[in-house]
Amino acid sequence: IVDEVQDSSTNLTDDEAVEQFRLHWLGRKQGRLKAISDAWLKSAPADAKKHIGQRFNKLKEEIDRRLESAGNVGISRAQLAAEAIDVTLPGLRRPLGAEHPLIKTMNEIVSVFQAMGYSVGVGPEVETDYYNFESLNFPPNHPARDTQDTLVIANQERKPLRDRLLMRTHTSPVQIRTMERQPPPVQIVIPGKVHRNDAADATHSPIFHQVEGLCVGPKITFSDLKGTLDHAMKAFFGSSVKTRFFPSFFPFTEPSADVQISCIFCGGTGCRKCKHSGWIELLGCGMVDPAVFALVQAKQPGYDPKKVSGFAFGMGVERIAMMKYGISEIGQLYSGDMRFLEQFA
Ligand code: PHE
Protein backbone atom coordinates (compact mmCIF):
# COMPACT_ATOMS: atom_id res chain seq x y z
CA ILE A 1 0.00 0.00 0.00
CA VAL A 2 2.96 2.29 0.64
CA ASP A 3 3.85 1.88 -3.04
CA GLU A 4 0.32 2.87 -3.86
CA VAL A 5 0.77 6.06 -1.87
CA GLN A 6 3.91 6.82 -3.78
CA ASP A 7 2.28 6.13 -7.14
CA SER A 8 -0.71 8.29 -6.43
CA SER A 9 1.41 11.19 -5.31
CA THR A 10 3.50 11.71 -8.45
CA ASN A 11 1.28 14.44 -9.87
CA LEU A 12 0.66 16.69 -6.89
CA THR A 13 1.38 19.89 -8.79
CA ASP A 14 -1.71 21.98 -8.11
CA ASP A 15 -4.07 22.54 -5.20
CA GLU A 16 -6.79 20.51 -6.84
CA ALA A 17 -4.59 17.38 -7.21
CA VAL A 18 -3.31 17.72 -3.66
CA GLU A 19 -6.85 17.95 -2.33
CA GLN A 20 -7.84 14.89 -4.37
CA PHE A 21 -4.92 12.96 -2.93
CA ARG A 22 -5.76 14.10 0.60
CA LEU A 23 -9.41 13.08 0.27
CA HIS A 24 -8.50 9.73 -1.27
CA TRP A 25 -6.27 8.77 1.63
CA LEU A 26 -7.38 10.79 4.61
CA GLY A 27 -11.04 11.55 3.89
CA ARG A 28 -12.90 11.23 7.11
CA LYS A 29 -15.67 9.00 5.74
CA GLN A 30 -14.46 7.38 2.51
CA GLY A 31 -10.68 7.68 2.90
CA ARG A 32 -8.51 4.61 2.32
CA LEU A 33 -6.81 5.01 5.66
CA LYS A 34 -10.11 4.84 7.50
CA ALA A 35 -11.12 1.76 5.51
CA ILE A 36 -7.80 0.10 6.33
CA SER A 37 -8.13 1.00 9.95
CA ASP A 38 -11.66 -0.40 10.07
CA ALA A 39 -10.75 -3.59 8.23
CA TRP A 40 -7.41 -4.37 9.86
CA LEU A 41 -6.58 -2.44 12.92
CA LYS A 42 -9.87 -2.45 14.82
CA SER A 43 -10.52 -6.17 14.35
CA ALA A 44 -6.91 -7.36 14.71
CA PRO A 45 -6.31 -10.09 17.31
CA ALA A 46 -4.51 -8.79 20.40
CA ASP A 47 -1.14 -10.41 19.64
CA ALA A 48 -1.01 -8.94 16.11
CA LYS A 49 -2.22 -5.48 17.06
CA LYS A 50 1.22 -4.08 17.79
CA HIS A 51 2.67 -5.25 14.51
CA ILE A 52 -0.28 -4.06 12.42
CA GLY A 53 -0.31 -0.77 14.32
CA GLN A 54 3.32 -0.11 13.43
CA ARG A 55 2.74 -0.71 9.73
CA PHE A 56 -0.38 1.39 9.85
CA ASN A 57 1.64 4.26 11.31
CA LYS A 58 4.31 3.85 8.62
CA LEU A 59 1.62 4.22 6.00
CA LYS A 60 0.19 7.27 7.68
CA GLU A 61 3.64 8.85 7.93
CA GLU A 62 4.22 8.25 4.23
CA ILE A 63 0.93 9.97 3.35
CA ASP A 64 1.80 12.93 5.61
CA ARG A 65 5.27 13.15 4.07
CA ARG A 66 3.80 13.31 0.57
CA LEU A 67 1.34 15.97 1.56
CA GLU A 68 4.04 18.00 3.24
CA SER A 69 6.42 17.87 0.30
CA ALA A 70 3.50 18.93 -1.91
CA GLY A 71 3.26 21.96 0.31
CA ASN A 72 -0.01 20.93 1.85
CA VAL A 73 -0.46 20.61 5.56
CA GLY A 74 -4.20 20.95 5.49
CA ILE A 75 -4.10 24.58 4.28
CA SER A 76 -4.38 25.38 0.58
CA ARG A 77 -1.63 27.31 -1.14
CA ALA A 78 -4.07 30.07 -1.95
CA GLN A 79 -4.87 30.44 1.73
CA LEU A 80 -1.19 30.42 2.68
CA ALA A 81 -0.46 33.13 0.14
CA ALA A 82 -3.33 35.24 1.46
CA GLU A 83 -2.09 34.95 5.01
CA ALA A 84 1.57 35.55 4.24
CA ILE A 85 3.17 38.45 6.12
CA ASP A 86 5.21 40.95 4.14
CA VAL A 87 8.16 41.39 6.48
CA THR A 88 9.44 44.30 4.39
CA LEU A 89 6.46 46.52 5.36
CA PRO A 90 7.25 49.17 7.98
CA GLY A 91 6.01 48.29 11.50
CA LEU A 92 3.13 49.95 13.32
CA ARG A 93 4.47 52.33 15.96
CA ARG A 94 2.63 52.14 19.27
CA PRO A 95 2.25 55.53 20.96
CA LEU A 96 4.67 55.72 23.89
CA GLY A 97 3.46 56.78 27.32
CA ALA A 98 5.12 59.74 29.01
CA GLU A 99 5.80 60.86 32.54
CA HIS A 100 2.95 62.82 34.13
CA PRO A 101 3.98 66.48 34.59
CA LEU A 102 3.52 66.17 38.35
CA ILE A 103 5.66 63.03 38.66
CA LYS A 104 8.18 64.54 36.27
CA THR A 105 8.49 67.62 38.48
CA MET A 106 8.79 65.47 41.59
CA ASN A 107 11.50 63.32 39.99
CA GLU A 108 13.39 66.40 38.85
CA ILE A 109 13.36 67.88 42.36
CA VAL A 110 14.53 64.56 43.78
CA SER A 111 17.38 64.26 41.29
CA VAL A 112 18.67 67.76 42.13
CA PHE A 113 19.22 66.47 45.68
CA GLN A 114 20.48 63.08 44.56
CA ALA A 115 23.21 64.93 42.67
CA MET A 116 24.22 66.42 46.05
CA GLY A 117 24.54 62.96 47.58
CA TYR A 118 21.06 62.58 49.06
CA SER A 119 19.42 59.17 49.08
CA VAL A 120 15.69 58.68 48.48
CA GLY A 121 13.20 57.26 50.96
CA VAL A 122 9.48 56.68 51.33
CA GLY A 123 7.04 56.11 54.17
CA PRO A 124 3.39 55.16 54.77
CA GLU A 125 0.48 57.45 53.87
CA VAL A 126 -1.59 56.10 56.76
CA GLU A 127 0.36 57.22 59.81
CA THR A 128 0.03 57.12 63.56
CA ASP A 129 -0.55 60.27 65.55
CA TYR A 130 2.90 59.68 67.02
CA TYR A 131 4.85 59.97 63.77
CA ASN A 132 2.69 62.65 62.17
CA PHE A 133 2.56 64.88 65.28
CA GLU A 134 3.99 63.86 68.63
CA SER A 135 7.48 62.87 67.51
CA LEU A 136 7.62 66.12 65.54
CA ASN A 137 7.10 68.11 68.72
CA PHE A 138 3.37 68.76 68.28
CA PRO A 139 2.24 67.94 71.84
CA PRO A 140 -1.38 66.71 72.36
CA ASN A 141 -3.81 69.62 72.13
CA HIS A 142 -1.11 71.89 70.72
CA PRO A 143 -2.75 74.59 68.55
CA ALA A 144 -0.27 73.88 65.71
CA ARG A 145 -2.16 70.61 65.13
CA ASP A 146 -5.18 72.65 64.02
CA THR A 147 -3.17 74.15 61.17
CA GLN A 148 -2.88 70.72 59.56
CA ASP A 149 -6.56 69.98 58.74
CA THR A 150 -6.06 66.34 59.58
CA LEU A 151 -8.17 63.54 58.10
CA VAL A 152 -8.41 60.79 60.71
CA ILE A 153 -9.24 57.10 60.28
CA ALA A 154 -12.58 56.11 61.87
CA ASN A 155 -13.00 54.07 65.08
CA GLN A 156 -9.63 54.84 66.67
CA GLU A 157 -10.97 56.38 69.89
CA ARG A 158 -10.28 53.36 72.06
CA LYS A 159 -6.55 53.44 71.29
CA PRO A 160 -4.06 55.66 73.12
CA LEU A 161 -3.71 58.94 71.20
CA ARG A 162 -0.25 58.18 69.85
CA ASP A 163 -1.40 54.93 68.20
CA ARG A 164 -4.44 56.40 66.46
CA LEU A 165 -4.29 56.28 62.67
CA LEU A 166 -4.66 59.25 60.37
CA MET A 167 -3.75 60.26 56.84
CA ARG A 168 -0.35 61.90 57.02
CA THR A 169 -0.66 65.66 56.61
CA HIS A 170 2.98 66.09 55.56
CA THR A 171 6.00 63.96 54.65
CA SER A 172 7.83 65.01 57.84
CA PRO A 173 6.96 61.77 59.73
CA VAL A 174 9.37 60.00 57.38
CA GLN A 175 12.17 62.15 58.85
CA ILE A 176 11.57 60.39 62.16
CA ARG A 177 11.17 56.93 60.61
CA THR A 178 14.45 57.43 58.77
CA MET A 179 16.39 58.51 61.87
CA GLU A 180 14.97 55.66 63.96
CA ARG A 181 16.23 53.21 61.35
CA GLN A 182 19.59 54.73 60.57
CA PRO A 183 22.27 56.35 62.74
CA PRO A 184 23.70 59.73 61.65
CA PRO A 185 24.86 61.08 59.27
CA VAL A 186 21.67 61.24 57.16
CA GLN A 187 21.03 62.96 53.87
CA ILE A 188 17.67 61.94 52.45
CA VAL A 189 14.84 63.24 50.30
CA ILE A 190 11.35 61.84 50.64
CA PRO A 191 8.80 62.34 47.86
CA GLY A 192 5.21 61.39 48.64
CA LYS A 193 1.49 61.97 48.80
CA VAL A 194 -0.08 63.85 51.70
CA HIS A 195 -3.69 64.49 52.72
CA ARG A 196 -5.50 67.44 54.26
CA ASN A 197 -9.12 68.20 54.90
CA ASP A 198 -8.96 71.20 52.58
CA ALA A 199 -11.72 72.31 50.23
CA ALA A 200 -10.61 71.89 46.64
CA ASP A 201 -10.24 75.11 44.65
CA ALA A 202 -8.08 76.33 41.79
CA THR A 203 -4.88 75.94 43.78
CA HIS A 204 -5.77 73.47 46.57
CA SER A 205 -6.43 69.77 46.53
CA PRO A 206 -7.10 67.58 49.60
CA ILE A 207 -4.49 65.16 48.26
CA PHE A 208 -1.22 66.63 47.10
CA HIS A 209 2.49 65.84 46.99
CA GLN A 210 5.51 67.00 48.93
CA VAL A 211 9.24 66.49 48.75
CA GLU A 212 10.80 66.40 52.19
CA GLY A 213 14.49 66.72 52.91
CA LEU A 214 16.60 65.91 55.96
CA CYS A 215 20.30 66.37 56.56
CA VAL A 216 21.83 65.45 59.93
CA GLY A 217 25.44 65.21 61.01
CA PRO A 218 28.04 66.79 63.26
CA LYS A 219 28.13 70.60 62.88
CA ILE A 220 25.41 71.05 60.27
CA THR A 221 24.55 74.75 60.33
CA PHE A 222 21.94 77.18 59.05
CA SER A 223 24.50 78.24 56.42
CA ASP A 224 24.47 74.67 55.10
CA LEU A 225 20.69 74.88 54.88
CA LYS A 226 20.83 78.19 52.99
CA GLY A 227 23.58 77.04 50.65
CA THR A 228 21.86 73.72 49.90
CA LEU A 229 18.46 75.23 49.15
CA ASP A 230 19.93 78.14 47.18
CA HIS A 231 21.85 75.68 45.02
CA ALA A 232 18.79 73.42 44.64
CA MET A 233 16.57 76.29 43.49
CA LYS A 234 19.20 77.44 40.97
CA ALA A 235 19.65 73.87 39.69
CA PHE A 236 15.90 73.46 39.31
CA PHE A 237 14.71 76.87 38.06
CA GLY A 238 17.88 78.25 36.48
CA SER A 239 21.08 79.84 37.72
CA SER A 240 19.72 83.40 37.72
CA VAL A 241 17.13 82.58 40.42
CA LYS A 242 17.75 84.23 43.81
CA THR A 243 16.52 82.99 47.19
CA ARG A 244 15.66 84.74 50.44
CA PHE A 245 14.75 83.39 53.86
CA PHE A 246 12.03 84.70 56.17
CA PRO A 247 11.42 83.79 59.80
CA SER A 248 8.60 81.28 60.17
CA PHE A 249 7.37 78.64 62.60
CA PHE A 250 7.19 74.86 62.57
CA PRO A 251 7.08 72.88 65.84
CA PHE A 252 9.86 70.54 64.69
CA THR A 253 12.37 73.14 63.49
CA GLU A 254 14.00 75.98 65.37
CA PRO A 255 14.74 78.42 63.91
CA SER A 256 12.30 77.96 61.03
CA ALA A 257 12.13 79.81 57.74
CA ASP A 258 10.00 80.26 54.65
CA VAL A 259 12.02 80.37 51.46
CA GLN A 260 11.12 82.68 48.62
CA ILE A 261 12.64 82.70 45.15
CA SER A 262 12.84 85.65 42.79
CA CYS A 263 9.83 85.48 40.47
CA ILE A 264 10.58 83.14 37.59
CA PHE A 265 8.04 84.97 35.40
CA CYS A 266 9.33 88.54 35.66
CA GLY A 267 12.79 87.98 37.05
CA GLY A 268 12.00 90.05 40.12
CA THR A 269 10.70 93.28 38.60
CA GLY A 270 7.11 92.52 39.59
CA CYS A 271 4.20 90.97 37.69
CA ARG A 272 0.72 89.55 38.33
CA LYS A 273 2.09 86.08 39.17
CA CYS A 274 4.16 87.37 42.10
CA LYS A 275 1.54 89.97 43.06
CA HIS A 276 4.09 92.63 42.01
CA SER A 277 6.42 91.72 44.86
CA GLY A 278 9.07 90.12 42.65
CA TRP A 279 9.17 87.08 44.98
CA ILE A 280 7.36 83.75 45.20
CA GLU A 281 7.08 81.70 48.37
CA LEU A 282 8.16 78.15 47.75
CA LEU A 283 9.01 76.06 50.79
CA GLY A 284 9.32 75.67 54.53
CA CYS A 285 12.50 74.72 56.33
CA GLY A 286 14.52 75.04 59.50
CA MET A 287 17.08 73.53 61.85
CA VAL A 288 15.84 70.27 63.41
CA ASP A 289 14.55 71.11 66.89
CA PRO A 290 16.68 69.49 69.64
CA ALA A 291 13.42 68.20 71.16
CA VAL A 292 12.97 66.05 68.03
CA PHE A 293 16.46 64.59 68.35
CA ALA A 294 15.82 63.90 72.04
CA LEU A 295 12.82 61.68 71.19
CA VAL A 296 14.69 59.83 68.42
CA GLN A 297 17.69 59.34 70.69
CA ALA A 298 15.71 56.87 72.82
CA LYS A 299 15.76 54.51 69.80
CA GLN A 300 19.00 55.61 68.06
CA PRO A 301 21.54 56.85 70.63
CA GLY A 302 23.57 58.59 67.87
CA TYR A 303 21.05 61.43 67.70
CA ASP A 304 22.37 63.17 70.79
CA PRO A 305 21.27 66.81 70.41
CA LYS A 306 24.60 67.82 71.91
CA LYS A 307 26.54 65.95 69.22
CA VAL A 308 24.53 66.32 66.03
CA SER A 309 22.55 69.04 64.34
CA GLY A 310 20.61 69.12 61.11
CA PHE A 311 18.20 70.85 58.84
CA ALA A 312 14.94 69.84 57.19
CA PHE A 313 12.82 71.27 54.44
CA GLY A 314 9.52 70.49 52.76
CA MET A 315 7.93 71.73 49.55
CA GLY A 316 4.66 71.26 47.70
CA VAL A 317 5.13 69.64 44.31
CA GLU A 318 1.85 70.77 42.71
CA ARG A 319 2.66 74.44 43.26
CA ILE A 320 6.09 74.02 41.71
CA ALA A 321 4.75 72.01 38.74
CA MET A 322 2.04 74.63 38.15
CA MET A 323 4.63 77.42 38.20
CA LYS A 324 7.04 75.56 35.99
CA TYR A 325 4.45 74.66 33.33
CA GLY A 326 2.15 77.67 33.66
CA ILE A 327 -0.83 75.59 34.83
CA SER A 328 -3.55 77.70 36.45
CA GLU A 329 -5.92 74.99 37.75
CA ILE A 330 -4.59 72.30 40.07
CA GLY A 331 -7.43 69.99 38.98
CA GLN A 332 -5.92 69.67 35.52
CA LEU A 333 -3.08 67.70 37.07
CA TYR A 334 -5.55 65.05 38.23
CA SER A 335 -8.03 65.07 35.33
CA GLY A 336 -6.38 62.35 33.24
CA ASP A 337 -7.43 64.42 30.22
CA MET A 338 -5.18 63.33 27.35
CA ARG A 339 -5.54 66.68 25.56
CA PHE A 340 -3.96 68.29 28.61
CA LEU A 341 -1.37 65.60 29.31
CA GLU A 342 -0.15 65.30 25.71
CA GLN A 343 1.24 68.82 25.94
CA PHE A 344 3.92 67.48 28.27
CA ALA A 345 4.82 64.30 26.35
N1 PHE B 1 6.07 69.69 57.00
C1 PHE B 1 5.94 71.10 56.75
C2 PHE B 1 4.59 71.37 56.11
O1 PHE B 1 4.01 70.48 55.55
C3 PHE B 1 7.04 71.62 55.87
C4 PHE B 1 8.39 71.54 56.54
C5 PHE B 1 9.18 70.40 56.36
C6 PHE B 1 8.87 72.57 57.29
C7 PHE B 1 10.44 70.34 56.94
C8 PHE B 1 10.11 72.53 57.90
C9 PHE B 1 10.89 71.40 57.73
O2 PHE B 1 4.09 72.46 56.12
Side-chain angles (χ1 to χ4, degrees):
I1 304 179
V2 172
D3 289 344
E4 232 182 283
V5 172
Q6 280 161 11
D7 291 346
S8 65
S9 68
T10 48
N11 273 325
L12 300 181
T13 49
D14 57 59
D15 290 350
E16 179 66 17
V18 172
E19 184 60 12
Q20 282 296 326
F21 174 84
R22 197 186 65 76
L23 274 177
H24 175 75
W25 290 101
L26 300 179
R28 221 177 283 278
K29 287 193 183 123
Q30 320 252 301
R32 287 284 315 270
L33 206 64
K34 169 149 192 335
I36 295 166
S37 161
D38 288 347
W40 291 87
L41 201 56
K42 297 229 172 97
S43 58
D47 55 348
K49 217 167 198 146
K50 188 171 165 218
H51 183 65
I52 296 175
Q54 277 169 355
R55 317 234 13 211
F56 183 81
N57 282 340
K58 277 233 176 66
L59 180 62
K60 194 162 177 305
E61 277 164 24
E62 182 61 28
I63 297 168
D64 286 345
R65 216 176 1 256
R66 295 284 145 177
L67 276 172
E68 234 166 86
S69 61
N72 185 312
V73 281
I75 307 169
S76 74
R77 284 178 195 200
Q79 195 179 346
L80 271 180
E83 288 177 7
I85 293 167
D86 182 352
V87 293
T88 64
L89 286 176
L92 291 179
R93 202 172 278 279
R94 282 168 196 267
L96 272 187
E99 243 174 356
H100 189 282
L102 185 66
I103 301 302
K104 189 162 153 179
T105 305
M106 190 152 78
N107 288 342
E108 279 168 17
I109 297 170
V110 164
S111 42
V112 162
F113 288 96
Q114 279 182 299
M116 286 190 268
Y118 281 66
S119 55
V120 184
V122 288
E125 268 172 72
V126 180
E127 260 300 2
T128 60
D129 186 280
Y130 180 77
Y131 284 110
N132 197 75
F133 289 126
E134 201 178 326
S135 65
L136 290 161
N137 202 31
F138 291 78
N141 301 317
H142 193 281
R145 286 176 175 238
D146 298 343
T147 65
Q148 299 270 322
D149 302 304
T150 313
L151 289 160
V152 299
I153 306 287
N155 304 321
Q156 302 287 302
E157 296 77 10
R158 304 241 289 281
K159 293 182 184 170
L161 179 62
R162 64 172 46 174
D163 296 336
R164 291 183 200 168
L165 298 175
L166 45 78
M167 302 309 291
R168 69 176 177 195
T169 59
H170 51 178
T171 39
S172 300
V174 194
Q175 287 185 33
I176 309 300
R177 291 184 175 276
T178 304
M179 289 190 281
E180 286 184 354
R181 230 189 14 246
Q182 171 189 338
V186 171
Q187 272 188 299
I188 193 166
V189 276
I190 301 131
K193 223 179 254 174
V194 302
H195 303 249
R196 290 194 195 178
N197 187 16
D198 253 350
D201 63 22
T203 55
H204 293 84
S205 156
I207 304 177
F208 59 104
H209 297 75
Q210 290 186 330
V211 174
E212 187 88 13
L214 175 69
C215 172
V216 182
K219 302 203 178 87
I220 299 290
T221 67
F222 199 86
S223 308
D224 296 320
L225 168 59
K226 289 185 77 174
T228 301
L229 290 182
D230 185 70
H231 169 79
M233 294 303 115
K234 287 180 161 64
F236 186 79
F237 289 107
S239 55
S240 60
V241 157
K242 294 200 273 285
T243 55
R244 64 180 190 180
F245 291 67
F246 273 78
S248 184
F249 175 79
F250 301 101
F252 42 95
T253 49
E254 182 58 33
S256 304
D258 285 327
V259 182
Q260 301 180 349
I261 62 167
S262 53
C263 180
I264 59 167
F265 301 103
C266 63
T269 53
C271 66
R272 280 230 320 273
K273 302 265 191 189
C274 57
K275 299 199 185 83
H276 303 283
S277 70
W279 296 89
I280 292 176
E281 188 156 320
L282 215 61
L283 55 91
C285 65
M287 301 306 293
V288 179
D289 195 304
V292 171
F293 284 139
L295 279 175
V296 172
Q297 199 189 1
K299 289 176 185 157
Q300 274 291 356
Y303 290 94
D304 181 344
K306 289 194 225 46
K307 295 200 180 114
V308 290
S309 54
F311 62 78
F313 54 87
M315 60 192 102
V317 182
E318 275 77 354
R319 240 175 85 75
I320 296 175
M322 288 168 75
M323 273 175 56
K324 178 150 185 171
Y325 295 113
I327 299 164
S328 53
E329 293 260 345
I330 198 170
Q332 298 199 285
L333 288 171
Y334 312 122
S335 66
D337 186 335
M338 288 305 289
R339 291 165 303 178
F340 169 74
L341 292 172
E342 272 165 359
Q343 301 175 76
F344 307 97

